Structures are given as C-alpha cells and as structure tokens.
Amino acid sequence: MADTSARTLRLLTLLQSHRYWPGEELSTRLGVSARTLRRDVDRLRELGYPVEARRGVDGGYQLAAGAALPPLVIDDEEAVALAVGLQAAADGSVEGIAEASVRALAKVVQVMPARLRRRVEALRSVTVPAQWQTDTAARIDPDTLTAVALACRDTERLHFRYRAADGSATERHTEPHGLVRLGRRWYLVAYDLTRQAWRTFRLDRLAAPEPTGARFLPRTLPAEDAAEFVRAGLQGQPRPHRVEVLVDAPAATVRQKIGAWSEIEEIAPGRTRVRMNADALEWPAMALGSLEVDFRVVSPPELTALLAAWGERFTRCTGPDERAESGR
C-alpha cells in the first residue's frame, strides 16, 4: 500500500508539471505497466482529480480543469516561490487579495520544513518592496502575520505584547477572532480576556505572538463582521488629517492606482472625489502626485500649503543653480 500511495503521488506530481504525457512515457517514468498506470489514474479520479485520457497510438493523460480546485503537489522551489509571492500580496500591492493571501500563506507556512522557511526568510530579507514606506504603512513581520492568522483559524488563544499609541507596553491574553486589512494597516479583532471586552489591535504594534495551545468556543462578535467592528472603532478615534480632493480623472483610473488606501466616489464623468485619512500629509501628497492628473484640494488647508511649498521647491530645482552662478 505504501508503494502504491507513493507512486500515486509521483504520478500526480508528473501530471501537474507537464501539460500532456504520452502513456508510454508516463509508464516508463513510473516503472509500471500500462494496466497499472490506468489503475493509478482511476485512483486519482476517485480523489477528485480530473484526469483526461486520450486513446490511440499517441494516447496519453493530462490534468483538466475541474469543478473545484483539488490539492496540489509542489516541489521545494515552488513552495519557496509561493510563500514569497503570498507575502508580497499580503503587503497590499494588489487590491482585494491581501486577506486571502494571508490565509493561504498560513496554510503553506504551517507545513513548510524549517530549511525552506529559512530560504523564504533569506529571500524576504534581501528584497526591497517596490512601494512607499511611511509611518502610516508600517511593515508587518510575516511570521507575526501568519502566527496570528493560524491562531484565528484554529480558535486558539493567543498571548502577545502590545504597544499602545502613547508608547506604553502591555501583555495581552486574547481569543482571536479575525484579521482585517483597512487602508494601509492590518488589524486583529479579538476578545481580551484580561479586560473582558472586544478589542481591535494594530498588527504593527503587536509583538511576540504565542499560541497557548488552549482552544476556545468562539464568542458572538458585537458587529456584522470583523471589518465593520474595526471601522466602528476607528470612527471614534481622532485622526490628524482627513483629506478630501477632487481629481480630474475617471473613478476607475483613480481606484486602480490608490484605491487600496482611499475612498473613491465618481461625481461626474471624468471627475472623482477622493477621501483618505492620514497621520502625515506627505503620503497623500505623493499618492495624488502619482495619479499624473490635475486635482484640487478641498481640505485640509495644510495639504494645500504643503503642495505649494513642494511646488516652489520643485520649481527651484528645475532652474539654474543660483549659488553656483554667484560663485563664479
């Protein structure tokens, strides 16, 4: 039975690595007869893998698209590439897939051998993300992200250190409910066992997450879902800057470039209202500049002043160097 199972996995690996396999070549690779190969193919079909067969002199086998995605078999190189790619997606470079990427990353990391984890970490440490990094977009340690995601999935109590906005540090013992990405930040929604209340925790302020091994029965969240709970909590918090801008571009164009960090509303053909919260105005200024279209600041006036100062500085940079001229 062990030999049969190993051979079936080997057959699955071959089918997933090649578009089409002639039957004779596949039998040779596996070291079995054509009859045994047909039985192994039937076994894969029973497990839900849609294997198509072509009869005749040039007959063979190939995997086809099925009604559902069956389990995949990947090699070491593919596992490392998958983990690195999912970490990049979790950083939010593609709108709408960050949370799904974290769930998938947690599954991959959970079964990944230590030697492959070290390769993933080495690649991540020497890879510079191609996006702006500011205090409003603090990077999250992938190990922290996956540890919290696994605790949420497994309904396992989680202990961690947490740094509040005022810099004070506390130890938290929680029942994690779910992860939410809003704007440019990740949040954990959890029931705080010490304070006996539901809380929202920013992941960039969370450190040393340790699953305790203790399972729990999920409590009823006092909101429609985790995202709504986070939004409700943030509405009551003061934000240094609430930005509103009118942009001379279609909403689809604006959403594609900065939709992950702002609210987009089309108010007329080719005219879009953009709203965003910011701890510092430099980020909205850079984001709006990346649109490469005209826009008008509605609020706050501090953003108008910042853009004017930047404009004057950029204008000076394009002119002659007055200090060099005076030194001649």
Side-chain angles (χ1 to χ4, degrees), residues 6-32 37 40 44 51 61-63 73-75 78:
R7 190 177 64 247
T8 303
L9 284 175
R10 172 62 176 161
L11 171 60
L12 178 58
T13 301
L14 290 171
L15 289 172
Q16 289 180 342
S17 64
H18 203 285
R19 175 64 178 170
Y20 177 79
W21 284 97
E24 184 177 351
E25 183 178 353
L26 204 52
S27 297
T28 302
R29 288 288 190 107
L30 295 171
V32 298
L37 175 60
D40 290 344
L44 284 179
V51 184
Y61 300 93
Q62 70 179 35
L63 277 179
V73 177
I74 57 177
D75 60 25
E78 292 167 338

Side-chain angles (χ1 to χ4, degrees), residues 244-248 271-272 288 293-299 304 307:
E244 181 177 344
V245 178
L246 300 179
V247 179
D248 294 335
R271 186 77 161 167
T272 302
L288 293 167
V293 297
D294 291 343
F295 61 87
R296 183 174 65 84
V297 177
V298 177
S299 64
T304 302
L307 292 171

Side-chain angles (χ1 to χ4, degrees), residues 38 67 114 118 135 142 153 168 173 250 297 302 316:
R38 286 195 296 271
R118 288 192 293 270
D135 57 346
R153 188 198 67 178
S168 60
H173 189 55
V297 177
E302 292 83 1
R316 289 195 301 270

Side-chain angles (χ1 to χ4, degrees), residues 65 81 108:
V108 172

Side-chain angles (χ1 to χ4, degrees), residues 152-198:
C152 292
R153 188 198 67 178
D154 298 336
T155 59
E156 185 175 359
R157 287 180 175 174
L158 187 70
H159 179 271
F160 54 83
R161 295 196 302 270
Y162 192 70
R163 174 178 52 82
D166 61 4
S168 60
T170 55
E171 300 287 329
R172 300 299 181 101
H173 189 55
T174 66
E175 294 179 351
H177 176 85
L179 284 168
V180 176
R181 182 179 175 89
L182 285 181
R184 308 183 69 224
R185 289 197 178 104
W186 280 101
Y187 298 90
L188 167 65
V189 175
Y191 188 81
D192 192 320
L193 293 170
T194 303
R195 292 160 177 75
Q196 294 293 300
W198 286 95

Side-chain angles (χ1 to χ4, degrees), residues 114-127:
R115 57 186 173 80
L116 295 186
R117 291 190 190 186
R118 288 192 293 270
R119 289 175 60 184
V120 171
E121 177 59 26
L123 281 173
R124 186 182 66 84
S125 66
V126 299
T127 302

